[in-house]
Amino acid sequence: MSDNGGFIRLLFRYETRMSLHVTIADVAREAGVSRQTVSRVLNNKGEISNLTLHRVQQVIERLDYRPSSIARGLATRQTRTIGLIVPDIANPYFADIGRGADDAAHEAGYSLLLCNAVEDPDREAELLRTLEQRAVDGVVLCSSRLPEPILTDLVKRHAAVVLINRVLAGSSVICVDDARGAAMVVQHLLGSGRRRIGLLAGSQISHSSRERTRGFIEAMTAAGKELDPALTRRCDSQDMDGGYHAGLSLLTARPDVDGVICYNDLVATGVLRACAELGRRVPDDVAVTGADDTLLASLVTPALTTLRSDRQAIGATALRTLLDQLHDAQGACNTLVFQPELIVRASAP
Amino acid sequence: MSDNGGFIRLLFRYETRMSLHVTIADVAREAGVSRQTVSRVLNNKGEISNLTLHRVQQVIERLDYRPSSIARGLATRQTRTIGLIVPDIANPYFADIGRGADDAAHEAGYSLLLCNAVEDPDREAELLRTLEQRAVDGVVLCSSRLPEPILTDLVKRHAAVVLINRVLAGSSVICVDDARGAAMVVQHLLGSGRRRIGLLAGSQISHSSRERTRGFIEAMTAAGKELDPALTRRCDSQDMDGGYHAGLSLLTARPDVDGVICYNDLVATGVLRACAELGRRVPDDVAVTGADDTLLASLVTPALTTLRSDRQAIGATALRTLLDQLHDAQGACNTLVFQPELIVRASAP
DNA sequence: CTGTTAGCGCGTTCAT
DNA sequence: ATGAACGCGCTAACAG
């Protein structure tokens, strides 16, 4: 029965030229072996006589057969698919991480299920569940905005998870040493003679923003500078507009500020605009620094002093860590910290 | 037997707190109905007594049951997954398209399998096969670099394909009217009194580059300008470096050039640098235009006159077109052309 | 070395 | 309105 069905399907296929999928049964029949034997050559398993091996391989090529990933997934409980959740793929920062992750995944024969959390915690939680339903082998979760208890719960439901830029007990973490980066910037500004340094921080729910703020505070304190809350602003949005307004606010309230450390390059660019409007020269009157070393950092005038981290490497490392964790039961919970690099340009020489 | 197995599994689950998947059988048993009944409430199919409906729904919630996508995929031959192939997700141009596509996909309950072709035709072909193997419901293929016969073949193997920025007989296409965009730029420069206009083209294998070149030629001819091949350069790479070198070459060979139309904003930015080095003022001595209206277009000095197209909309439209094609057997082959918008800034007022 | 028998978790006939 | 049986395409466990 089964054979007849297959035969008829095959005929049908030839007649209509509309290739329904070739299945392992088609190959088995054509090669005159059982499906199991075909499966064995597919997975290089067991010992097979060279004769049948070649014969099966021939048929596979002739029929241009490719095993169905879904069927395989159902049988093996492995989909060779990794979920990648980022706050926004249109943000070059995350696009780079995505690129790195995709490279590493492809190299290992995995595919990436891309998910945009659109900076929304609820959406992020939903995505985590969707990925579970889709039976991904693991998840790379980037800059999670989820509160810890919820995150802990959701993470547990996956066989393997690697977090980027967010720490969580019991999970592998890849992150940038944002605190140290901020400290480097502080030291650089102090070293070049700046006395009144302001901070334009990012969102409170962003791990990297909190870390950068912490690094700022520690470095200032260590240098014996007293912290003046009036020298700090939190940007409404972490982009040019947010930087522009926060910068305007800070510089008008405190004209004595001679250095502004910004959450990222976009914010810094907004501050440059604010400076231009206020007639304050950069870097002569005030030094401005960014973070992330995005493309625009080197293109704005003056070019931005900023912090660089190899985002593609971070994405790739996250994915490889995940695969390690998947294959070795032991590599349970690593933490990997990337060190940022200070790039000195005209905005804060 | 089957029931016993399920029961034991369930016990095991409760004991270890290590939730193996809850299956439809678990729900059925707990609710005291058959699996089909559960399946029916899952898919709102058939008529079910309100009583059992509620009972089953209760159990589903209590057990936090979610049907397995892979099992469903095997049974229905639908994965609710769309493959998205782009030349490079780290390129903001494609990242935006990806963002738009993801939004539209998520809205419709689909997921996106992200694939980077890394500008490599072989890789692109391989990805198309991989997606087939993974049984995606359809593919959005962005800026394909594949030769037509091969592309035609590969496309046939998928139930539905939508191409972006690449035309192909028999396929749905979403593209930007690059020729018209280039023509608009030509007319703008001519209208502002430029006489010797050069062109820095992109790669020959890029559809948009060919189209922009065609639009340039047609508009120049239509305006009665004779085409001087010496006023054209093809950039080695379509980035700042490529623009810088091509610009240097053009402007030194032909100092009479008073307008340069560039393949994209990056190339234009490179030309700005070349101009600065040669002491040619922009826009007084020479007008420079870009394309794509990337973030940097408004940030460089002088800001770039450029062409804008709504890339997120393009991505979203592509995906919706794909879904239409998937659901209506008729919507076989649409062509949708987005019109670019000329953004006039300081580099070519 | 190879074939048989059983699932993986779900939807889809058919009965009832 | 509900249940039983079968199949999707593949791998795993056990024969031989």
Side-chain angles (χ1 to χ4, degrees), chain A residues 34 37 40 47-49 52 75 77:
Chain A
S34 77
T37 303
R40 279 187 188 105
E47 285 128 32
I48 302 182
S49 79
T52 48
R77 303 182 156 295

Side-chain angles (χ1 to χ4, degrees), chain A residues 28 40 43-44 64-65 68 124 128 248 278 283 289 321 347:
Chain A
R40 279 187 188 105
N43 305 304
N44 319 327
D64 195 23
Y65 164 71
S68 150
E124 187 186 330
L128 244 9
L248 222 47
L278 296 173
T289 68
T321 304
S347 75

Side-chain angles (χ1 to χ4, degrees), chain B residues 318-329:
Chain B
L319 205 112
R320 290 198 201 98
T321 304
L322 186 68
L323 295 182
D324 286 352
Q325 193 170 323
L326 230 44
H327 301 318
D328 316 352

Side-chain angles (χ1 to χ4, degrees), chain B residues 34 36-37 40 47-49 52 74 77:
Chain B
S34 77
Q36 294 63 267
T37 304
R40 279 186 189 103
E47 287 128 31
I48 302 182
S49 77
T52 48
L74 227 209
R77 303 186 155 292

Side-chain angles (χ1 to χ4, degrees), chain A residues 175-192:
Chain A
C175 63
V176 175
D177 197 337
D178 284 303
R180 180 139 181 285
M184 287 162 67
V185 173
V186 168
Q187 285 154 16
H188 175 68
L189 289 189
L190 253 23
S192 63

Side-chain angles (χ1 to χ4, degrees), chain A residues 15-334:
Chain A
E15 281 173 21
T16 64
R17 318 295 288 144
M18 191 191 164
S19 95
L20 295 171
H21 336 242
V22 177
T23 79
I24 200 172
D26 296 330
V27 176
R29 184 167 16 73
E30 289 282 308
V33 297
S34 77
R35 296 177 310 166
Q36 189 50 33
T37 303
V38 177
S39 175
R40 279 187 188 105
V41 333
L42 249 41
N43 305 304
N44 319 327
K45 256 180 197 164
E47 285 128 32
I48 302 182
S49 79
N50 266 330
L51 189 67
T52 48
L53 177 68
H54 283 307
R55 186 145 42 103
V56 170
Q57 282 175 334
Q58 294 276 329
V59 176
I60 287 178
E61 273 205 39
R62 181 158 59 80
L63 262 43
D64 195 23
Y65 164 71
R66 316 255 174 145
S68 150
S69 295
I70 17 162
R72 234 179 201 175
L74 189 55
T76 61
R77 303 182 156 295
Q78 297 201 357
T79 53
R80 292 192 84 79
T81 304
I82 303 294
L84 173 65
I85 302 183
V86 293
D88 182 6
I89 191 66
N91 180 330
Y93 187 91
F94 299 116
D96 284 344
I97 289 180
R99 168 63 196 266
D102 186 85
D103 284 351
H106 185 267
E107 192 183 343
Y110 280 72
S111 295
L112 233 48
L113 218 36
L114 171 66
C115 307
N116 261 336
V118 294
E119 309 274 0
D120 173 6
D122 291 337
R123 174 81 161 259
E124 187 186 330
E126 179 209 329
L127 287 173
L128 244 9
R129 298 304 305 261
T130 302
L131 289 178
E132 181 191 348
Q133 188 168 353
R134 284 185 174 270
V136 294
D137 294 344
V139 176
V140 174
L141 178 52
C142 210
S143 305
S144 173
R145 262 69 160 150
L146 250 24
E148 188 161 323
I150 299 187
L151 182 57
T152 305
D153 232 55
L154 255 20
V155 159
K156 261 192 215 150
R157 310 182 61 93
H158 285 276
V161 173
V162 170
L163 263 30
I164 295 182
N165 284 352
R166 164 81 186 240
V167 296
L168 186 74
S171 288
S172 285
V173 171
I174 312 286
C175 63
V176 175
D177 197 337
D178 284 303
R180 180 139 181 285
M184 287 162 67
V185 173
V186 168
Q187 285 154 16
H188 175 68
L189 289 189
L190 253 23
S192 63
R194 308 289 169 174
R195 317 300 301 281
R196 297 248 172 277
I197 300 179
L199 175 72
L200 300 193
S203 161
Q204 177 66 23
I205 62 171
S206 156
H207 180 261
S208 61
S209 177
R210 291 197 304 267
E211 281 296 292
R212 286 172 192 178
T213 301
R214 185 170 69 80
F216 171 82
I217 293 172
E218 289 183 3
M220 290 288 276
T221 310
K225 308 287 293 184
E226 52 192 303
L227 290 167
D228 183 350
L231 291 180
T232 294
R233 293 286 183 287
R234 186 174 303 290
C235 300
D236 293 331
S237 55
Q238 307 168 34
D239 53 18
M240 278 184 59
D241 255 20
Y244 171 73
H245 289 114
L248 222 47
S249 160
L250 176 65
L251 291 169
T252 50
R254 296 295 299 258
D256 57 327
V257 163
D258 60 1
V260 181
I261 296 181
C262 304
Y263 173 63
N264 65 21
D265 293 338
L266 283 168
V267 169
T269 304
V271 172
L272 289 186
R273 191 155 51 106
C275 287
E277 256 178 45
L278 296 173
R280 311 214 49 186
R281 293 169 305 164
V282 178
D284 297 344
D285 298 336
V286 49
V288 176
T289 68
D292 296 347
D293 192 30
T294 52
L295 182 60
L296 72 92
S298 58
L299 293 176
V300 293
T301 312
L304 291 173
T305 289
T306 188
L307 290 165
R308 172 188 298 167
S309 48
D310 190 340
R311 297 182 293 268
Q312 286 202 200
I314 292 173
T317 303
L319 205 112
R320 291 199 200 97
T321 304
L322 186 68
L323 295 183
D324 286 352
Q325 193 170 322
L326 230 43
H327 301 319
D328 316 352
Q330 42 127 319
C333 172
N334 304 326

